[in-house]
């Protein structure tokens, strides 16, 4: 076979084994995985000796150029996708959120425009349902257009994004009908409002500053919301994906629900694995404000355990970048801090350094959580997410231990700070290939803006995928007693 590119002699992680071998690429696809592939005169040979070659990372939770908290998140599709590429990310999924009065189709069109001409890597969007009465009859049209994941927020009333139980329940019924999946930001809005109101005094703000962000969001705020929406998934049979899960309690609820056969999947983010709420006491603590906020070391430990055991299927970032100037909008009132952090550039380095090198997960498990599972769950597999013949040639080549010190001035993100500033992280991409094209070479971005493509999808979640063992067991799992009771009650009506 004549190859356009051969990646030579790396430690290649495939779904079946990890072995030193070559990868042959023809056009945009992986065409061969075998040792000793023969190059001809015009084959580009990329030396991967003494490096790991892993599937390109999918960051399936990203907000680029998002109008939010009275400002607009500062990484757009140009800087955000460059940042991702430097960290081995070759696919991202953003959230298309309808502005007031917009339909779901208008939201998708709007996000398409943000990406066009700027994206360096491939992308698609979760479609956010913010006004159930208006949007419910538009969902099927979006599925037909190639969007198979939808999103609802249980908080953010002031942004006009909040969904109530009626919307969550109704959307999950539709997910069941269409074989699609609902992503949910699970925090308990009313109790949270009450806790914020109780603490929103000049005295407490002066005394505790940004620490109030953590003090008003105890773990039960997330746990109660997860518990409730898991119930709606259980009785409707609609596929549910908990985004940015941050608590040990949430992890336990998901584990128990999965054991009952509830079609629920959980994601956590890099920051919840390696940072904790001590940061809010620092001078720059407000920079770390995000929703849900950072929790305790015991929560991080439980999330790592969940990744290892399988109840946590995906690591993402929830990238929502705000600069120091934007974060300064809080002026001492913690309810006014733009919520979110940069993350795309450091996802793989954090997971590799603190997961693989610290021996919390294996290299193969990391590839499952960063690439294969997200691709399967989000309806992008086998095109994305694995080093397999026929898949897109999306690869990250990383040195096993070469570390980079995190310095915002040397990064691609627009952020002028990093949650990991000063940390030594290994796992930055020496080379990133996207559909066979080198877009990062010698740790520098060389790919051109606008080459990234939108990715249409036809399924999501457990429907149509054959994800990790726990999930394939789940897809054949027993009918949960609650769902059986609901079906029984509907049948007998
Ligand atoms: O603080 C965060 N997470 N900002 C982005 C919006 C969201 O809730 O995901
Ligand atoms: Zn969220
Ligand atoms: Zn988010």
């Amino acid at each position: 076979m004549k190859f356009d590119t051969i990646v030579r002699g790396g430690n290649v992680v495939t779904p079946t084994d990890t072995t030193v071998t070559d990868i042959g690429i023809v056009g945009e696809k992986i065409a061969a995985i075998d040792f000793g592939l023969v190059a001809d005169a015009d084959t580009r040979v990329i030396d991967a000796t003494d490096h790991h070659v892993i599937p390109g990372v999918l960051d399936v939770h990203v907000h680029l150029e998002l109008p939010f908290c009275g400002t607009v998140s500062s990484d757009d599709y140009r800087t955000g996708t460059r940042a991702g590429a430097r960290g081995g990310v070759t696919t991202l999924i953003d959230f298309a959120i309808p502005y007031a009065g917009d339909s779901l189709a208008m939201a998708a069109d709007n996000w398409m425009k943000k990406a066009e001409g700027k994206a360096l890597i491939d992308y698609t969007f979760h479609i956010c349902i913010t006004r159930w009465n208006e949007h419910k009859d538009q969902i099927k049209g979006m599925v037909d257009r190639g969007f198979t994941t939808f999103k609802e927020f249980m908080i953010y009333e002031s942004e006009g994004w909040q969904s109530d139980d009626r919307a969550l329940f109704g959307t999950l019924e539709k997910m069941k009908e269409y074989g699609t999946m609902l992503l949910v930001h699970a925090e308990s809005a009313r109790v949270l409002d009450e806790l914020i109101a109780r603490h929103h005094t000049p005295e407490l703000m002066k005394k505790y500053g940004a620490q109030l962000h953590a003090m008003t969001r105890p773990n039960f705020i997330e746990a109660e919301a997860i518990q409730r929406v898991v119930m709606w998934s259980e009785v409707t049979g609609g596929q549910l994906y908990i985004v940015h899960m941050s608590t040990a309690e949430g992890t336990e609820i998901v584990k128990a629900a999965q054991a009952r056969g509830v079609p629920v999947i959980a994601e956590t983010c890099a920051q919840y694995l390696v940072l904790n709420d001590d940061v809010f006491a620092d001078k720059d603590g407000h920079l770390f404000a995000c929703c849900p906020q950072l929790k305790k070391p015991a929560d991080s430990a439980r999330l790592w355990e969940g990744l290892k055991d399988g109840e946590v299927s995906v690591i993402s970032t929830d990238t929502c970048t705000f600069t120091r100037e934007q974060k300064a909008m809080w002026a001492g009132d913690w309810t006014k801090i733009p919520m979110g952090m940069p993350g795309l550039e450091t996802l793989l380095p954090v997971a590799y350094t603190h997961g693989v090198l610290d021996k919390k997960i294996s290299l193969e498990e990391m590839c499952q959580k960063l690439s294969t599972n997200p691709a399967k769950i989000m309806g992008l597999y086998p095109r994305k997410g694995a080093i397999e013949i026929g898949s897109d040639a999306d690869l990250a080549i990383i040195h096993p231990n070469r570390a980079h010190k995190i310095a915002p001035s040397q990064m691609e993100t627009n952020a002028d700070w990093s949650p990991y500033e000063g940390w030594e992280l290994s796992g930055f991409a020496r080379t990133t290939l996207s559909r066979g094209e080198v877009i990062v070479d010698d740790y520098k971005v060389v790919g051109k803006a606008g080459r990234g493509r939108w990715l249409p999808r036809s399924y999501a979640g457990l429907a149509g995928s054959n994800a990790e063992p726990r999930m394939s067991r789940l897809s054949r799992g027993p009918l949960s007693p609650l769902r059986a009771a609901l079906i029984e009650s509907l049948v007998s009506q």
Side-chain angles (χ1 to χ4, degrees):
M1 201 182 302
K2 185 175 156 39
F3 300 110
D4 296 311
T5 304
I6 293 175
V7 177
R8 178 82 80 207
N11 183 45
V12 179
V13 182
T14 76
T16 47
D17 60 3
T18 302
T19 184
V20 173
T21 191
D22 302 339
I23 300 171
I25 299 168
V26 177
E28 301 189 341
K29 303 282 181 192
I30 295 172
I33 306 169
D34 207 351
F35 198 73
L37 294 178
V38 177
D40 68 22
D42 45 6
T43 302
R44 176 177 190 168
V45 178
I46 299 173
D47 183 13
T49 319
D50 297 331
H51 284 71
H52 298 307
V53 182
I54 63 173
V57 170
L58 288 87
D59 188 348
V60 299
H61 191 148
V62 173
H63 305 274
L64 298 177
E65 210 186 322
L66 174 69
F68 185 46
C69 297
T71 180
V72 179
S73 69
S74 73
D75 273 316
D76 66 2
Y77 271 81
R78 209 185 75 80
T79 60
T81 57
R82 285 175 69 87
R86 188 167 169 260
V89 177
T90 50
T91 301
L92 67 79
I93 313 189
D94 196 341
F95 295 80
I97 307 183
Y99 298 125
D102 279 1
S103 64
L104 300 183
M106 287 157 87
D109 293 343
N110 190 12
W111 254 260
M112 288 284 197
K113 282 197 209 97
K114 290 180 202 252
E116 275 163 20
K118 291 186 179 170
L120 170 63
I121 59 174
D122 294 346
Y123 56 89
T124 185
F125 318 115
H126 310 291
I127 304 297
C128 297
I129 296 162
T130 51
R131 293 183 306 282
W132 167 247
N133 282 340
E134 282 167 54
H135 292 155
K136 64 180 187 309
D137 297 327
Q138 300 167 14
I139 296 172
K140 181 64 171 59
M142 299 311 291
V143 178
D144 294 341
R145 220 178 122 174
F147 295 101
T148 54
T149 49
F150 297 84
K151 166 83 180 284
E152 287 178 349
F153 299 89
M154 293 172 81
I155 63 164
Y156 299 139
E157 188 171 32
S158 58
E159 299 285 341
W161 298 351
Q162 190 175 317
S163 287
D164 60 13
D165 287 336
R166 184 167 158 250
L168 292 161
F169 186 89
T171 307
L172 282 162
E173 283 183 323
K174 288 193 182 287
M175 298 299 105
K176 169 76 180 159
E177 189 181 341
Y178 306 144
T180 49
M181 185 171 71
L182 178 64
L183 284 66
V184 172
H185 174 137
E187 288 190 289
S188 198
R190 291 290 160 251
V191 178
L192 177 57
D193 289 345
E194 173 60 20
L195 296 183
I196 290 174
R198 283 184 198 176
H199 290 77
H200 203 215
T201 67
E203 297 74 34
L204 289 177
M205 288 200 278
K206 188 152 185 271
K207 187 164 175 196
Y208 293 114
Q211 290 175 84
L212 284 165
H213 188 48
M215 291 162 72
T216 51
R217 281 179 140 87
N219 284 22
F220 62 73
I221 292 292
E222 178 177 274
E224 187 280 331
I226 291 179
Q227 180 85 61
R228 185 155 30 104
V229 71
V230 160
M231 172 73 86
W232 304 149
S233 167
E234 187 161 9
V235 296
T236 59
Q239 299 189 97
L240 172 67
Y241 178 100
I242 304 294
V243 299
H244 52 44
M245 190 168 69
S246 63
T247 56
E249 289 85 341
T251 314
E252 291 299 338
I253 293 165
V254 166
K255 182 177 181 175
Q258 289 176 342
R260 297 197 301 277
V262 182
V264 57
I265 295 169
E267 157 202 279
T268 190
C269 302
Q271 58 270 27
Y272 302 117
L273 294 167
V274 297
L275 296 170
N276 67 73
D277 63 7
D278 284 354
V279 296
F280 294 118
D282 296 345
K283 182 175 75 59
D284 278 345
H286 66 286
L287 296 176
F288 293 78
C290 58
C291 299
Q293 95 286 3
L294 301 168
K295 301 292 195 305
K296 304 283 180 211
D299 295 293
S300 305
R302 183 64 188 86
L303 289 165
W304 279 117
E305 198 182 302
L307 286 165
K308 189 88 193 156
D309 291 353
E311 57 264 22
V312 184
S313 300
V314 173
I315 313 175
S316 70
T317 63
D318 195 7
T319 293
C320 192
T321 304
F322 296 106
T323 61
R324 283 175 178 273
E325 190 183 346
Q326 289 175 303
K327 288 277 186 180
M329 286 164 61
W330 82 306
D333 179 344
W334 95 99
T335 65
K336 297 197 166 63
I337 305 176
M339 299 293 181
M341 295 200 268
L344 266 159
E345 201 156 349
T346 45
L347 170 59
L348 171 57
V350 167
Y352 182 71
T353 307
H354 290 273
V356 178
L357 295 184
D358 281 358
K359 301 201 180 329
K360 294 195 187 74
I361 51 175
S362 67
L363 179 66
E364 292 76 10
E365 285 165 336
M366 182 194 77
C367 293
Q368 271 182 4
K369 308 297 174 176
L370 293 181
S371 303
T372 314
N373 284 353
K376 288 180 171 179
I377 291 164
M378 298 302 166
L380 290 167
Y381 181 82
R383 180 168 175 190
K384 303 290 187 188
I387 299 179
E388 285 180 308
I389 291 173
S391 295
D392 280 358
D394 289 1
L395 305 172
I397 304 178
I398 62 172
H399 191 274
N401 44 46
R402 179 173 168 185
H404 286 74
K405 191 173 191 147
I406 302 301
S409 60
Q410 286 159 30
M411 296 173 82
E412 293 290 340
T413 169
N414 262 341
D416 50 1
W417 70 284
S418 166
Y420 313 109
E421 200 156 335
W423 291 27
E424 297 273 350
L425 294 178
S426 303
F428 280 98
R430 186 208 72 184
T431 313
T432 305
L433 287 97
S434 164
R435 284 182 276 103
E437 184 181 335
V438 173
I439 60 169
V440 171
D441 190 19
D442 195 19
Y443 299 98
K444 285 186 273 306
V445 176
V446 295
K448 295 275 173 296
R451 63 166 299 287
R453 283 191 204 138
W454 173 65
L455 299 164
R457 296 174 286 158
S458 60
Y459 76 89
L462 308 172
S465 84
N466 180 25
E468 60 186 358
R470 166 184 293 273
M471 292 159 58
S472 41
R473 270 205 308 279
L474 249 183
S475 58
R476 294 191 300 271
L479 202 57
S480 102
L482 263 174
R483 182 158 161 70
L486 178 83
I487 293 170
E488 176 69 23
S489 74
L490 291 175
V491 169
S492 58
Q493 268 168 23

